[in-house]
Every structure is written in C-alpha cells, then in structure tokens.
Amino acid sequence: MRDLSHDPDYFAVLTGSYARRLGEALVPDGADAAWLYGQAPFVVLAHDGGADPLFTYANRAAQACFGYTRAELVGLPSRLSAEAPERAERQRLLDAVTRDGFSRGYRGLRIAKDGRRFWIERAVVWQLDRDGVIVGQAATFSEWRDA
C-alpha cells in the first residue's frame, strides 16, 4: 500500500474533508503533512471505502496508541481495531457517518496489537472525499484510557 504519511495531496483530502464536514480546521494554521504525521498531539486514522475497509493512514500518535508500526497498521482491516463483540457498535458508527457525513463525541472500546483494551473518548469520525467522491472515512481523538 502506498505511503501517504507525508503526501500533501492526502493531507489535503484529510484536512479539507474535515473542514467541509465540521466547519473547523483539523490542524493549526501552517501545519503540513509532516506535522500531522509526526508531531500532532492527537490520533488520526483513515481507512478506504472498501467492503472490508483497510487502514490507509495512521499518524505517529495512532501508532503509539494502537501499538503498531505504520507498516503493520496501514493495510490492516480497520475492523480489527475493535474486538468481535464491539464490531457491531463500530459498524453502527460507520453507517451513521456514511449517512450524516460525520459523528462527533464517539466513545468506543478498542484493542491494541498486544491485546490491551482501551477506550477512545470524544472521537470525531468523518467522510473523506476527493473532488466530491467518497474515498473512505477518518477518525481523530486525543483522549484514550485503558479499559
């Protein structure tokens, strides 16, 4: 899978979609793809629009939170970020985002590579679009705690 971590076009998709859907900026003025990937103090994850979506983007904060390297996380089916009993709740969230364009204030149980369970708090999930065509969904959150 292509490395989008420092791709300015993908940065524009992430930040532009967020701004259009939520009416506010995802990143501070002057921030670029390198900042979002390596320095942002919040998690950003994205997956494609496939039937079994695959992660396409995970910044360093996401990698630290989930305990995977970029190479391990990108390409992983995003459903594996939640345990099987939690996947129905996750799917309801994704369906709502598909319907409404975004969801704010999501709380959900997730699982790290090492099996550690943790709650994500106050997450924002939004549709990603490129020139009006939906290309996936993304999530951001800055709060999480062990379950």
Side-chain angles (χ1 to χ4, degrees):
M1 192 165 275
R2 195 169 133 230
D3 182 358
L4 301 173
S5 59
H6 291 81
D7 185 305
D9 292 328
Y10 197 71
F11 174 78
V13 168
L14 287 168
T15 59
S17 297
Y18 186 93
R20 283 188 298 281
R21 304 270 182 218
L22 285 103
E24 61 191 40
L26 175 63
V27 299
D29 285 343
D32 62 6
W35 182 88
L36 182 61
Y37 177 75
Q39 298 171 350
F42 50 86
V43 167
V44 175
L45 288 160
H47 65 218
D48 65 18
D52 188 10
L54 304 177
F55 283 122
T56 56
Y57 180 88
N59 70 356
R60 295 257 170 134
Q63 295 167 40
C65 181
F66 284 88
Y68 288 95
T69 66
R70 188 201 66 78
E72 292 171 326
L73 197 49
V74 171
L76 186 73
S78 62
R79 67 181 154 73
L80 297 180
S81 66
E83 289 185 300
E86 302 299 322
R87 290 182 189 154
E89 171 63 25
R90 179 186 163 279
Q91 189 59 52
R92 281 191 290 280
L93 166 70
L94 299 181
D95 292 344
V97 171
T98 297
R99 182 188 66 238
D100 301 334
F102 73 93
S103 176
R104 197 190 294 260
Y106 175 75
R107 178 178 191 258
L109 188 62
R110 293 294 177 267
I111 186 165
K113 178 183 174 183
D114 65 4
R116 176 181 49 85
R117 288 153 186 81
F118 61 96
W119 289 99
I120 60 172
E121 308 282 351
R122 291 190 271 232
V124 175
V125 184
W126 71 101
Q127 289 278 50
L128 296 176
D129 68 275
R130 185 185 310 268
D131 301 322
V133 176
I134 301 300
V135 295
Q137 295 183 345
T140 186
F141 56 92
S142 57
E143 297 177 37
W144 61 91
R145 63 178 177 79
D146 286 345

